[in-house]
Amino acid sequence: ESEMLEKNKELIRNESLVRGILDASSHALFVIDERCTIKMVNDRSCEVFGWTKEEFLGNNINMIMPAHIAMHHDQYMKNFLKTGI
């Protein structure tokens, strides 16, 4: 139980570190998972794209891409995760 508590604390510290990096950036930044789902977004992204964090979170990152790129992006990610390129 103590080990699990320590791992939980470490995860919280790591998330806090990532959040700090995102928030400190003057660039629009996103954190996505292997399914291209937006997990974290910074304030600059909201300013650039005109959506709230709530509107971004849980949606596919392709929402910010032109249609001709968005339609292929999930497959690009699958290929990258499979091959590393």
Side-chain angles (χ1 to χ4, degrees):
E1 188 174 319
S2 176
E3 182 180 335
M4 191 168 163
L5 184 59
E6 284 304 312
K7 286 186 180 196
N8 191 35
K9 286 180 182 179
E10 183 178 351
L11 283 172
I12 291 169
R13 283 191 300 271
N14 288 342
E15 183 175 338
S16 180
L17 176 64
V18 171
R19 170 64 49 211
I21 292 168
L22 287 175
D23 289 342
S25 178
S26 61
H27 299 280
L29 298 175
F30 298 86
V31 174
I32 63 172
D33 66 12
E34 67 280 354
R35 292 180 304 266
C36 304
T37 302
I38 300 170
K39 296 297 186 180
M40 297 176 89
V41 58
N42 68 353
D43 291 336
R44 183 68 179 137
S45 298
C46 297
E47 294 169 16
V48 169
F49 294 100
W51 288 305
T52 65
K53 288 182 181 181
E54 292 75 21
E55 289 172 309
F56 278 123
L57 296 174
N59 285 301
N60 193 300
I61 190 67
N62 66 16
M63 71 187 286
I64 66 167
M65 300 173 193
H68 70 282
I69 295 173
M71 63 189 285
H72 300 290
H73 186 263
D74 287 359
Q75 188 60 49
Y76 295 154
M77 276 296 286
K78 287 178 188 173
N79 293 344
F80 173 76
L81 291 170
K82 185 177 178 181
T83 67
I85 54 173

mmCIF file of all heavy atoms in Angstrom, residues 20-64:
data_model
loop_
_atom_site.group_PDB
_atom_site.id
_atom_site.type_symbol
_atom_site.label_atom_id
_atom_site.label_comp_id
_atom_site.label_asym_id
_atom_site.label_seq_id
_atom_site.Cartn_x
_atom_site.Cartn_y
_atom_site.Cartn_z
ATOM 1 N N GLY A 20 3.054 22.510 -15.685
ATOM 2 C CA GLY A 20 3.870 23.715 -15.573
ATOM 3 C C GLY A 20 4.566 24.058 -16.878
ATOM 4 O O GLY A 20 4.631 25.226 -17.276
ATOM 5 N N ILE A 21 5.086 23.051 -17.558
ATOM 6 C CA ILE A 21 5.737 23.269 -18.852
ATOM 7 C C ILE A 21 4.729 23.776 -19.875
ATOM 8 O O ILE A 21 4.994 24.732 -20.604
ATOM 9 C CB ILE A 21 6.418 21.972 -19.339
ATOM 10 C CG1 ILE A 21 7.603 21.635 -18.428
ATOM 11 C CG2 ILE A 21 6.861 22.103 -20.795
ATOM 12 C CD1 ILE A 21 8.167 20.249 -18.627
ATOM 13 N N LEU A 22 3.571 23.144 -19.926
ATOM 14 C CA LEU A 22 2.529 23.575 -20.865
ATOM 15 C C LEU A 22 2.126 25.022 -20.609
ATOM 16 O O LEU A 22 2.043 25.833 -21.537
ATOM 17 C CB LEU A 22 1.293 22.684 -20.751
ATOM 18 C CG LEU A 22 1.373 21.281 -21.315
ATOM 19 C CD1 LEU A 22 0.092 20.517 -20.991
ATOM 20 C CD2 LEU A 22 1.620 21.285 -22.803
ATOM 21 N N ASP A 23 1.866 25.331 -19.355
ATOM 22 C CA ASP A 23 1.373 26.659 -19.014
ATOM 23 C C ASP A 23 2.421 27.750 -19.204
ATOM 24 O O ASP A 23 2.085 28.906 -19.458
ATOM 25 C CB ASP A 23 0.845 26.675 -17.580
ATOM 26 C CG ASP A 23 -0.453 25.897 -17.425
ATOM 27 O OD1 ASP A 23 -1.127 25.640 -18.451
ATOM 28 O OD2 ASP A 23 -0.797 25.534 -16.286
ATOM 29 N N ALA A 24 3.705 27.392 -19.106
ATOM 30 C CA ALA A 24 4.777 28.377 -19.252
ATOM 31 C C ALA A 24 5.087 28.687 -20.716
ATOM 32 O O ALA A 24 5.729 29.687 -21.017
ATOM 33 C CB ALA A 24 6.041 27.877 -18.554
ATOM 34 N N SER A 25 4.618 27.860 -21.613
ATOM 35 C CA SER A 25 4.956 28.015 -23.021
ATOM 36 C C SER A 25 4.135 29.109 -23.689
ATOM 37 O O SER A 25 2.953 29.277 -23.411
ATOM 38 C CB SER A 25 4.729 26.701 -23.767
ATOM 39 O OG SER A 25 5.023 26.874 -25.141
ATOM 40 N N SER A 26 4.780 29.813 -24.600
ATOM 41 C CA SER A 26 4.069 30.809 -25.404
ATOM 42 C C SER A 26 3.520 30.183 -26.686
ATOM 43 O O SER A 26 2.918 30.860 -27.505
ATOM 44 C CB SER A 26 5.000 31.972 -25.742
ATOM 45 O OG SER A 26 6.108 31.506 -26.492
ATOM 46 N N HIS A 27 3.741 28.868 -26.842
ATOM 47 C CA HIS A 27 3.254 28.130 -28.007
ATOM 48 C C HIS A 27 2.017 27.317 -27.640
ATOM 49 O O HIS A 27 1.853 26.912 -26.496
ATOM 50 C CB HIS A 27 4.331 27.181 -28.535
ATOM 51 C CG HIS A 27 5.562 27.874 -28.984
ATOM 52 N ND1 HIS A 27 5.674 28.492 -30.205
ATOM 53 C CD2 HIS A 27 6.751 28.070 -28.360
ATOM 54 C CE1 HIS A 27 6.855 29.029 -30.323
ATOM 55 N NE2 HIS A 27 7.533 28.791 -29.217
ATOM 56 N N ALA A 28 1.192 27.056 -28.621
ATOM 57 C CA ALA A 28 0.041 26.166 -28.429
ATOM 58 C C ALA A 28 0.564 24.739 -28.312
ATOM 59 O O ALA A 28 1.234 24.249 -29.213
ATOM 60 C CB ALA A 28 -0.928 26.285 -29.596
ATOM 61 N N LEU A 29 0.305 24.089 -27.173
ATOM 62 C CA LEU A 29 0.785 22.733 -26.930
ATOM 63 C C LEU A 29 -0.349 21.831 -26.476
ATOM 64 O O LEU A 29 -1.253 22.261 -25.750
ATOM 65 C CB LEU A 29 1.878 22.732 -25.855
ATOM 66 C CG LEU A 29 3.149 23.507 -26.161
ATOM 67 C CD1 LEU A 29 4.061 23.504 -24.942
ATOM 68 C CD2 LEU A 29 3.867 22.927 -27.360
ATOM 69 N N PHE A 30 -0.261 20.571 -26.900
ATOM 70 C CA PHE A 30 -1.244 19.556 -26.540
ATOM 71 C C PHE A 30 -0.515 18.311 -26.067
ATOM 72 O O PHE A 30 0.580 18.016 -26.540
ATOM 73 C CB PHE A 30 -2.101 19.157 -27.755
ATOM 74 C CG PHE A 30 -2.904 20.276 -28.329
ATOM 75 C CD1 PHE A 30 -2.346 21.135 -29.272
ATOM 76 C CD2 PHE A 30 -4.217 20.471 -27.951
ATOM 77 C CE1 PHE A 30 -3.085 22.167 -29.819
ATOM 78 C CE2 PHE A 30 -4.969 21.501 -28.488
ATOM 79 C CZ PHE A 30 -4.400 22.353 -29.430
ATOM 80 N N VAL A 31 -1.137 17.559 -25.179
ATOM 81 C CA VAL A 31 -0.696 16.214 -24.816
ATOM 82 C C VAL A 31 -1.805 15.290 -25.288
ATOM 83 O O VAL A 31 -2.974 15.486 -24.943
ATOM 84 C CB VAL A 31 -0.472 16.060 -23.298
ATOM 85 C CG1 VAL A 31 -0.154 14.619 -22.942
ATOM 86 C CG2 VAL A 31 0.633 17.007 -22.823
ATOM 87 N N ILE A 32 -1.421 14.304 -26.116
ATOM 88 C CA ILE A 32 -2.401 13.348 -26.632
ATOM 89 C C ILE A 32 -1.988 11.937 -26.253
ATOM 90 O O ILE A 32 -0.832 11.683 -25.931
ATOM 91 C CB ILE A 32 -2.569 13.463 -28.165
ATOM 92 C CG1 ILE A 32 -1.272 13.113 -28.895
ATOM 93 C CG2 ILE A 32 -3.062 14.847 -28.556
ATOM 94 C CD1 ILE A 32 -1.414 13.009 -30.405
ATOM 95 N N ASP A 33 -2.946 11.032 -26.284
ATOM 96 C CA ASP A 33 -2.636 9.624 -26.021
ATOM 97 C C ASP A 33 -2.457 8.881 -27.343
ATOM 98 O O ASP A 33 -2.476 9.484 -28.422
ATOM 99 C CB ASP A 33 -3.694 8.973 -25.123
ATOM 100 C CG ASP A 33 -5.069 8.862 -25.758
ATOM 101 O OD1 ASP A 33 -5.207 9.069 -26.988
ATOM 102 O OD2 ASP A 33 -6.024 8.556 -25.025
ATOM 103 N N GLU A 34 -2.280 7.572 -27.255
ATOM 104 C CA GLU A 34 -2.021 6.762 -28.447
ATOM 105 C C GLU A 34 -3.204 6.709 -29.411
ATOM 106 O O GLU A 34 -3.063 6.328 -30.563
ATOM 107 C CB GLU A 34 -1.586 5.342 -28.058
ATOM 108 C CG GLU A 34 -2.661 4.515 -27.389
ATOM 109 C CD GLU A 34 -2.868 4.796 -25.902
ATOM 110 O OE1 GLU A 34 -2.093 5.586 -25.313
ATOM 111 O OE2 GLU A 34 -3.818 4.234 -25.331
ATOM 112 N N ARG A 35 -4.374 7.115 -28.961
ATOM 113 C CA ARG A 35 -5.562 7.159 -29.832
ATOM 114 C C ARG A 35 -5.827 8.573 -30.353
ATOM 115 O O ARG A 35 -6.897 8.861 -30.867
ATOM 116 C CB ARG A 35 -6.774 6.610 -29.095
ATOM 117 C CG ARG A 35 -6.676 5.113 -28.820
ATOM 118 C CD ARG A 35 -7.902 4.596 -28.092
ATOM 119 N NE ARG A 35 -8.140 5.315 -26.848
ATOM 120 C CZ ARG A 35 -7.713 4.927 -25.645
ATOM 121 N NH1 ARG A 35 -7.040 3.808 -25.526
ATOM 122 N NH2 ARG A 35 -7.974 5.635 -24.567
ATOM 123 N N CYS A 36 -4.850 9.457 -30.155
ATOM 124 C CA CYS A 36 -4.932 10.853 -30.620
ATOM 125 C C CYS A 36 -5.940 11.684 -29.840
ATOM 126 O O CYS A 36 -6.365 12.747 -30.287
ATOM 127 C CB CYS A 36 -5.220 10.927 -32.118
ATOM 128 S SG CYS A 36 -4.046 10.036 -33.132
ATOM 129 N N THR A 37 -6.316 11.217 -28.666
ATOM 130 C CA THR A 37 -7.255 11.942 -27.816
ATOM 131 C C THR A 37 -6.498 12.998 -27.017
ATOM 132 O O THR A 37 -5.479 12.696 -26.401
ATOM 133 C CB THR A 37 -7.970 10.978 -26.859
ATOM 134 O OG1 THR A 37 -8.634 9.977 -27.637
ATOM 135 C CG2 THR A 37 -8.976 11.708 -25.983
ATOM 136 N N ILE A 38 -7.000 14.205 -27.017
ATOM 137 C CA ILE A 38 -6.368 15.301 -26.279
ATOM 138 C C ILE A 38 -6.578 15.082 -24.786
ATOM 139 O O ILE A 38 -7.710 14.993 -24.313
ATOM 140 C CB ILE A 38 -6.935 16.669 -26.711
ATOM 141 C CG1 ILE A 38 -6.680 16.892 -28.212
ATOM 142 C CG2 ILE A 38 -6.343 17.791 -25.866
ATOM 143 C CD1 ILE A 38 -7.402 18.092 -28.791
ATOM 144 N N LYS A 39 -5.465 15.008 -24.050
ATOM 145 C CA LYS A 39 -5.499 14.787 -22.606
ATOM 146 C C LYS A 39 -5.176 16.049 -21.820
ATOM 147 O O LYS A 39 -5.662 16.234 -20.711
ATOM 148 C CB LYS A 39 -4.510 13.682 -22.218
ATOM 149 C CG LYS A 39 -4.860 12.322 -22.801
ATOM 150 C CD LYS A 39 -6.181 11.870 -22.263
ATOM 151 C CE LYS A 39 -6.545 10.472 -22.677
ATOM 152 N NZ LYS A 39 -7.825 10.058 -22.142
ATOM 153 N N MET A 40 -4.307 16.896 -22.390
ATOM 154 C CA MET A 40 -3.956 18.159 -21.750
ATOM 155 C C MET A 40 -3.789 19.212 -22.839
ATOM 156 O O MET A 40 -3.392 18.900 -23.963
ATOM 157 C CB MET A 40 -2.650 18.039 -20.956
ATOM 158 C CG MET A 40 -2.701 17.056 -19.808
ATOM 159 S SD MET A 40 -1.082 16.872 -18.996
ATOM 160 C CE MET A 40 -1.218 18.169 -17.778
ATOM 161 N N VAL A 41 -4.070 20.452 -22.482
ATOM 162 C CA VAL A 41 -3.967 21.562 -23.424
ATOM 163 C C VAL A 41 -3.603 22.815 -22.630
ATOM 164 O O VAL A 41 -4.016 22.962 -21.481
ATOM 165 C CB VAL A 41 -5.292 21.732 -24.206
ATOM 166 C CG1 VAL A 41 -6.459 21.971 -23.283
ATOM 167 C CG2 VAL A 41 -5.189 22.800 -25.258
ATOM 168 N N ASN A 42 -2.815 23.685 -23.226
ATOM 169 C CA ASN A 42 -2.464 24.907 -22.500
ATOM 170 C C ASN A 42 -3.354 26.076 -22.914
ATOM 171 O O ASN A 42 -4.116 25.998 -23.883
ATOM 172 C CB ASN A 42 -0.979 25.232 -22.647
ATOM 173 C CG ASN A 42 -0.555 25.633 -24.046
ATOM 174 O OD1 ASN A 42 -1.330 25.568 -24.997
ATOM 175 N ND2 ASN A 42 0.690 26.034 -24.179
ATOM 176 N N ASP A 43 -3.238 27.167 -22.160
ATOM 177 C CA ASP A 43 -4.065 28.347 -22.417
ATOM 178 C C ASP A 43 -3.801 28.936 -23.797
ATOM 179 O O ASP A 43 -4.718 29.436 -24.452
ATOM 180 C CB ASP A 43 -3.828 29.410 -21.343
ATOM 181 C CG ASP A 43 -4.366 29.007 -19.983
ATOM 182 O OD1 ASP A 43 -5.291 28.173 -19.929
ATOM 183 O OD2 ASP A 43 -3.867 29.537 -18.973
ATOM 184 N N ARG A 44 -2.540 28.886 -24.232
ATOM 185 C CA ARG A 44 -2.189 29.450 -25.541
ATOM 186 C C ARG A 44 -2.960 28.744 -26.660
ATOM 187 O O ARG A 44 -3.389 29.386 -27.624
ATOM 188 C CB ARG A 44 -0.682 29.365 -25.774
ATOM 189 C CG ARG A 44 -0.231 29.990 -27.057
ATOM 190 C CD ARG A 44 -0.417 31.510 -27.034
ATOM 191 N NE ARG A 44 0.058 32.063 -28.285
ATOM 192 C CZ ARG A 44 -0.570 32.999 -28.977
ATOM 193 N NH1 ARG A 44 -1.668 33.543 -28.500
ATOM 194 N NH2 ARG A 44 -0.081 33.426 -30.102
ATOM 195 N N SER A 45 -3.147 27.441 -26.539
ATOM 196 C CA SER A 45 -3.926 26.695 -27.539
ATOM 197 C C SER A 45 -5.337 27.242 -27.630
ATOM 198 O O SER A 45 -5.896 27.375 -28.730
ATOM 199 C CB SER A 45 -3.977 25.204 -27.181
ATOM 200 O OG SER A 45 -2.693 24.651 -27.173
ATOM 201 N N CYS A 46 -5.908 27.568 -26.489
ATOM 202 C CA CYS A 46 -7.268 28.122 -26.462
ATOM 203 C C CYS A 46 -7.312 29.480 -27.152
ATOM 204 O O CYS A 46 -8.242 29.771 -27.906
ATOM 205 C CB CYS A 46 -7.764 28.229 -25.023
ATOM 206 S SG CYS A 46 -7.894 26.636 -24.192
ATOM 207 N N GLU A 47 -6.281 30.288 -26.915
ATOM 208 C CA GLU A 47 -6.217 31.601 -27.556
ATOM 209 C C GLU A 47 -6.068 31.465 -29.075
ATOM 210 O O GLU A 47 -6.738 32.159 -29.835
ATOM 211 C CB GLU A 47 -5.035 32.398 -27.003
ATOM 212 C CG GLU A 47 -5.163 32.776 -25.544
ATOM 213 C CD GLU A 47 -3.863 33.320 -24.971
ATOM 214 O OE1 GLU A 47 -2.955 33.689 -25.752
ATOM 215 O OE2 GLU A 47 -3.751 33.361 -23.735
ATOM 216 N N VAL A 48 -5.191 30.569 -29.513
ATOM 217 C CA VAL A 48 -4.904 30.401 -30.938
ATOM 218 C C VAL A 48 -6.097 29.836 -31.696
ATOM 219 O O VAL A 48 -6.445 30.320 -32.774
ATOM 220 C CB VAL A 48 -3.660 29.500 -31.145
ATOM 221 C CG1 VAL A 48 -3.499 29.091 -32.605
ATOM 222 C CG2 VAL A 48 -2.398 30.189 -30.639
ATOM 223 N N PHE A 49 -6.736 28.808 -31.125
ATOM 224 C CA PHE A 49 -7.790 28.101 -31.860
ATOM 225 C C PHE A 49 -9.205 28.545 -31.504
ATOM 226 O O PHE A 49 -10.158 28.199 -32.206
ATOM 227 C CB PHE A 49 -7.640 26.592 -31.665
ATOM 228 C CG PHE A 49 -6.376 26.048 -32.286
ATOM 229 C CD1 PHE A 49 -5.263 25.790 -31.508
ATOM 230 C CD2 PHE A 49 -6.307 25.831 -33.645
ATOM 231 C CE1 PHE A 49 -4.091 25.309 -32.077
ATOM 232 C CE2 PHE A 49 -5.145 25.354 -34.230
ATOM 233 C CZ PHE A 49 -4.026 25.091 -33.449
ATOM 234 N N GLY A 50 -9.355 29.289 -30.408
ATOM 235 C CA GLY A 50 -10.665 29.830 -30.065
ATOM 236 C C GLY A 50 -11.625 28.875 -29.378
ATOM 237 O O GLY A 50 -12.825 29.122 -29.357
ATOM 238 N N TRP A 51 -11.097 27.781 -28.838
ATOM 239 C CA TRP A 51 -11.924 26.837 -28.092
ATOM 240 C C TRP A 51 -11.487 26.829 -26.634
ATOM 241 O O TRP A 51 -10.371 27.194 -26.301
ATOM 242 C CB TRP A 51 -11.797 25.410 -28.651
ATOM 243 C CG TRP A 51 -12.462 25.212 -29.971
ATOM 244 C CD1 TRP A 51 -13.762 25.470 -30.283
ATOM 245 C CD2 TRP A 51 -11.865 24.707 -31.169
ATOM 246 N NE1 TRP A 51 -14.015 25.148 -31.604
ATOM 247 C CE2 TRP A 51 -12.859 24.677 -32.162
ATOM 248 C CE3 TRP A 51 -10.589 24.273 -31.497
ATOM 249 C CZ2 TRP A 51 -12.626 24.237 -33.454
ATOM 250 C CZ3 TRP A 51 -10.354 23.835 -32.789
ATOM 251 C CH2 TRP A 51 -11.354 23.824 -33.743
ATOM 252 N N THR A 52 -12.358 26.384 -25.760
ATOM 253 C CA THR A 52 -12.020 26.260 -24.347
ATOM 254 C C THR A 52 -11.299 24.926 -24.117
ATOM 255 O O THR A 52 -11.363 24.017 -24.964
ATOM 256 C CB THR A 52 -13.287 26.281 -23.468
ATOM 257 O OG1 THR A 52 -14.068 25.119 -23.757
ATOM 258 C CG2 THR A 52 -14.100 27.549 -23.688
ATOM 259 N N LYS A 53 -10.665 24.802 -22.964
ATOM 260 C CA LYS A 53 -10.029 23.533 -22.615
ATOM 261 C C LYS A 53 -11.056 22.410 -22.602
ATOM 262 O O LYS A 53 -10.783 21.304 -23.057
ATOM 263 C CB LYS A 53 -9.329 23.633 -21.252
ATOM 264 C CG LYS A 53 -8.074 24.463 -21.302
ATOM 265 C CD LYS A 53 -7.364 24.505 -19.956
ATOM 266 C CE LYS A 53 -6.114 25.373 -20.061
ATOM 267 N NZ LYS A 53 -5.367 25.431 -18.809
ATOM 268 N N GLU A 54 -12.224 22.694 -22.088
ATOM 269 C CA GLU A 54 -13.276 21.681 -22.023
ATOM 270 C C GLU A 54 -13.680 21.205 -23.409
ATOM 271 O O GLU A 54 -14.025 20.046 -23.602
ATOM 272 C CB GLU A 54 -14.499 22.219 -21.269
ATOM 273 C CG GLU A 54 -14.273 22.445 -19.789
ATOM 274 C CD GLU A 54 -13.441 23.693 -19.469
ATOM 275 O OE1 GLU A 54 -13.353 24.625 -20.323
ATOM 276 O OE2 GLU A 54 -12.856 23.734 -18.382
ATOM 277 N N GLU A 55 -13.659 22.116 -24.381
ATOM 278 C CA GLU A 55 -14.009 21.736 -25.748
ATOM 279 C C GLU A 55 -12.914 20.879 -26.385
ATOM 280 O O GLU A 55 -13.198 20.037 -27.233
ATOM 281 C CB GLU A 55 -14.265 22.980 -26.599
ATOM 282 C CG GLU A 55 -15.554 23.689 -26.220
ATOM 283 C CD GLU A 55 -15.722 25.024 -26.914
ATOM 284 O OE1 GLU A 55 -14.786 25.849 -26.872
ATOM 285 O OE2 GLU A 55 -16.806 25.234 -27.502
ATOM 286 N N PHE A 56 -11.668 21.098 -25.999
ATOM 287 C CA PHE A 56 -10.554 20.302 -26.525
ATOM 288 C C PHE A 56 -10.469 18.924 -25.877
ATOM 289 O O PHE A 56 -10.323 17.912 -26.566
ATOM 290 C CB PHE A 56 -9.213 21.006 -26.277
ATOM 291 C CG PHE A 56 -8.863 22.067 -27.269
ATOM 292 C CD1 PHE A 56 -8.612 23.360 -26.854
ATOM 293 C CD2 PHE A 56 -8.743 21.770 -28.623
ATOM 294 C CE1 PHE A 56 -8.255 24.341 -27.757
ATOM 295 C CE2 PHE A 56 -8.390 22.749 -29.540
ATOM 296 C CZ PHE A 56 -8.141 24.039 -29.102
ATOM 297 N N LEU A 57 -10.528 18.889 -24.552
ATOM 298 C CA LEU A 57 -10.258 17.660 -23.812
ATOM 299 C C LEU A 57 -11.215 16.539 -24.198
ATOM 300 O O LEU A 57 -12.426 16.724 -24.279
ATOM 301 C CB LEU A 57 -10.328 17.920 -22.305
ATOM 302 C CG LEU A 57 -9.272 18.888 -21.770
ATOM 303 C CD1 LEU A 57 -9.521 19.189 -20.303
ATOM 304 C CD2 LEU A 57 -7.861 18.345 -21.980
ATOM 305 N N GLY A 58 -10.621 15.377 -24.462
ATOM 306 C CA GLY A 58 -11.412 14.208 -24.829
ATOM 307 C C GLY A 58 -11.681 14.080 -26.317
ATOM 308 O O GLY A 58 -12.203 13.061 -26.766
ATOM 309 N N ASN A 59 -11.346 15.106 -27.079
ATOM 310 C CA ASN A 59 -11.555 15.066 -28.523
ATOM 311 C C ASN A 59 -10.272 14.680 -29.242
ATOM 312 O O ASN A 59 -9.174 14.775 -28.697
ATOM 313 C CB ASN A 59 -12.044 16.424 -29.031
ATOM 314 C CG ASN A 59 -13.482 16.654 -28.672
ATOM 315 O OD1 ASN A 59 -14.359 15.889 -29.051
ATOM 316 N ND2 ASN A 59 -13.737 17.699 -27.907
ATOM 317 N N ASN A 60 -10.407 14.281 -30.490
ATOM 318 C CA ASN A 60 -9.267 13.903 -31.309
ATOM 319 C C ASN A 60 -8.485 15.153 -31.710
ATOM 320 O O ASN A 60 -9.082 16.175 -32.046
ATOM 321 C CB ASN A 60 -9.763 13.155 -32.550
ATOM 322 C CG ASN A 60 -8.654 12.469 -33.294
ATOM 323 O OD1 ASN A 60 -7.707 13.087 -33.767
ATOM 324 N ND2 ASN A 60 -8.771 11.149 -33.420
ATOM 325 N N ILE A 61 -7.167 15.044 -31.701
ATOM 326 C CA ILE A 61 -6.299 16.171 -32.062
ATOM 327 C C ILE A 61 -6.542 16.634 -33.493
ATOM 328 O O ILE A 61 -6.254 17.786 -33.831
ATOM 329 C CB ILE A 61 -4.801 15.813 -31.838
ATOM 330 C CG1 ILE A 61 -3.893 17.040 -31.963
ATOM 331 C CG2 ILE A 61 -4.351 14.724 -32.800
ATOM 332 C CD1 ILE A 61 -4.069 18.063 -30.893
ATOM 333 N N ASN A 62 -7.119 15.773 -34.308
ATOM 334 C CA ASN A 62 -7.354 16.177 -35.701
ATOM 335 C C ASN A 62 -8.356 17.320 -35.820
ATOM 336 O O ASN A 62 -8.513 17.898 -36.897
ATOM 337 C CB ASN A 62 -7.734 14.979 -36.586
ATOM 338 C CG ASN A 62 -9.053 14.353 -36.248
ATOM 339 O OD1 ASN A 62 -9.878 14.924 -35.547
ATOM 340 N ND2 ASN A 62 -9.256 13.144 -36.738
ATOM 341 N N MET A 63 -8.998 17.695 -34.719
ATOM 342 C CA MET A 63 -9.939 18.813 -34.754
ATOM 343 C C MET A 63 -9.258 20.138 -35.100
ATOM 344 O O MET A 63 -9.918 21.081 -35.514
ATOM 345 C CB MET A 63 -10.710 18.930 -33.437
ATOM 346 C CG MET A 63 -9.885 19.417 -32.261
ATOM 347 S SD MET A 63 -10.764 19.362 -30.675
ATOM 348 C CE MET A 63 -11.881 20.751 -30.828
ATOM 349 N N ILE A 64 -7.932 20.204 -34.934
ATOM 350 C CA ILE A 64 -7.223 21.448 -35.231
ATOM 351 C C ILE A 64 -6.543 21.416 -36.598
ATOM 352 O O ILE A 64 -5.863 22.364 -36.971
ATOM 353 C CB ILE A 64 -6.177 21.786 -34.146
ATOM 354 C CG1 ILE A 64 -5.054 20.756 -34.129
ATOM 355 C CG2 ILE A 64 -6.841 21.945 -32.785
ATOM 356 C CD1 ILE A 64 -3.841 21.170 -33.311
#
